[in-house]
Amino acid sequence: GFRVFLPLLVVALSSRVGIVELSDQFAFLATWPALVALLVASVLEVGAYLVPWIDHAIDVIATPAAVLAGTLLAATQMPDVGPIATWAGAAALGGGTAAITQAATVGTRGVSTVSTAGLFNPVIGLVESAVAFVLAALSIVVPVLAAVAALVVLLVLARVIMRRRRSRAATDAALTG
């Protein structure tokens, strides 16, 4: 959810060096052409989020793409229980998690755009990229720790958004009252 290509790159690299085993249908992710494509896409994506007006344009594409990437990523790790069960589980777990995370990050940058005229968005973009990389790496190394870290990040984001809304409501009340 934080990024579309970065988590896929981490899994592909992990598979390439033998840390993660991908099923035959996803083995292509560890090929050199796929690795190069994912690396280039990751660099372009991270760079694009550093430009305030481009980050909003990317969110239009990245939101559905993140859901698809989350589904694909989850499917690479699902046990072989048949295609319907695999893809349904992957869509619910990976796609659902990516959708929730993407909504939180889009909301955070929206608040930043309104409150700082987009000047703080590159900082948020860098933090999101760093968190995406760390969580992807943790999910490979320590899945339980990654789940806890993801939950903490979502709770912090929710708290920041709620504080901003309360602050904005108080400001609006003071101006109209």
Side-chain angles (χ1 to χ4, degrees), residues 2 98-110 128 153-154 157-158 161:
F2 284 109
I100 291 167
T101 305
Q102 184 68 14
T105 59
V106 168
T108 300
R109 277 193 308 281
E128 289 172 356
V153 168
L154 288 174
L157 284 173
I161 290 169

Side-chain angles (χ1 to χ4, degrees), residues 9 40 106 141 146:
L9 175 64
V40 169
V106 168
V141 178

Side-chain angles (χ1 to χ4, degrees), residues 11 19-20 77 97 134-151:
V11 168
I19 296 172
V20 170
Q77 301 304 303
T97 301
V134 168
L135 287 178
L138 283 174
S139 69
I140 301 297
V141 178
V142 187
V144 174
L145 183 57
V148 170
L151 181 60

